[in-house]
Amino acid sequence: MTAAPDDAALPWLAGPAHDIATKQRGHALLVQGNPGAGVFELALRVARTWLCETDGADAPCGRCTACHLLASNSHPDFRALLPELTQVELGWSVGGAEAADAGDGEGKAKKKPSKEIRIEAVRDAISWTQKSSSRGRAKVLLLFPADAMNLVASNALLKTLEEPPQGVRLLLVAEDAERLLPTLRSRCQRLLFAGPTPAQALAWLEGQGVVNAPVLLAAAGGHPLAARRLAADGFDAAAWIALPKRIADGKWEPPAGATVPRLREVLQKLCHDAMAVAAGAAPRYFPATSLPPPAAWPKLADWSQSLARLARHDEHPFNAPLITDSLLAEAKAVWTKPRGRAA
Ligand SMILES: [Zn+2]
């Protein structure tokens, strides 16, 4: 069984987690923040603080029985609902909740991990909240990302959110709270997690032994956990720096196995930075010196809209090589001067 992620190792979580755990009295909290900045680990730390059995603890003590049970993911009064895909990404295994899927795998081809928090898991968790607490402190149900619940699952949770059983606290975690049903949002107390400062993020990343940490951190939008994942996936800093000009020149080839959503993300980062520079601001994802010369604003605006449209559909199956070619041609065209006209 996989141990829970070590939230104590993310030093920027202690302050916000302490504030939430000790000052927020609501039974249903909606914590909004970026997963790459540690918003899930933050919520986990809040849950651990609530369930810690050391008297007067305003942070998880790490020594009591409850803390040990939480660290091994086996506390009977804690449950996390995560889509299968998120569990895989986090290297996290959830006791109990995903058991609903256990029966249908036999003899069939392996299914792709689900991106949804399933209705069965939500119903199961709701009936779990109705039983009394095993260790007599509280019960905590964490949902991450909460927008992975579809309409049916969200609706099933409404009543529990409105009137949770005695001692039950719900932690909904989402990157973008606007993607939740308004009826869910309105029943929660909303909190915003800003993440680490750039200096904290960089110091932590360097402490993890990540080389080219500033380039990785920028490529990951300033989110240190996302940057560490890039490093683990073999991120090539030199190739990243060379990428903008190669794309503008039409000379870039996506790495083997690159998916359309992944390519679209990279192009959106480049588009973002090209627009920032065109507007006189600093780029976010690429070093300023790595960017091609400023492009015409109307072309950038069209490109940005086109990528945003694709983002709404890129889970759909389509002809990936065809889309890849057209995406790269579109990107190159942004920097191609019209023929026969003065620039
Ligand atoms: Zn403890």
Side-chain angles (χ1 to χ4, degrees), residues 198-208 217:
Q200 282 175 321
L202 192 60
W204 177 80
L205 210 52
E206 283 170 345
Q208 298 285 305
L217 190 58

Side-chain angles (χ1 to χ4, degrees), residues 48-49 51-54 57 59-68 70:
R48 287 172 173 176
T49 306
L51 292 169
C52 174
E53 291 168 8
T54 295
C61 76
R63 293 182 303 273
C64 69
T65 308
C67 281
H68 285 303
L70 285 162

Side-chain angles (χ1 to χ4, degrees), residues 64-146:
C64 69
T65 308
C67 281
H68 285 303
L69 288 169
L70 285 162
S72 64
N73 233 340
S74 50
H75 195 297
D77 296 327
F78 174 73
R79 189 171 281 202
L81 296 190
L82 282 67
E84 292 159 357
L85 186 68
T86 310
Q87 295 176 37
V88 172
E89 285 169 355
L90 289 171
W92 161 274
S93 87
V94 181
E98 83 277 43
D101 290 327
D104 59 1
E106 219 149 305
K108 289 186 189 172
K110 248 195 167 176
K111 283 189 302 184
K112 264 180 138 180
S114 167
K115 291 182 180 176
E116 283 198 349
I117 295 176
R118 295 173 190 275
I119 176 67
E120 297 82 7
V122 172
R123 288 203 183 111
D124 189 48
I126 291 170
S127 66
W128 169 83
T129 63
Q130 288 156 353
K131 294 173 198 136
S132 54
S133 156
S134 296
R135 299 188 61 81
R137 261 195 124 74
K139 294 187 87 155
V140 184
L141 176 62
L142 189 160
L143 296 105
F144 171 73

Side-chain angles (χ1 to χ4, degrees), residues 1-3 15 23 57 100 169 195 201 205 218 236 248-249 291 303 328 330 335 337:
M1 166 168 250
T2 316
K23 293 181 188 152
R169 306 194 80 168
L205 210 52
D236 182 340
D249 291 343
L291 293 171
W303 187 30
L328 291 175
E330 183 184 40
W335 278 278
K337 299 251 185 321

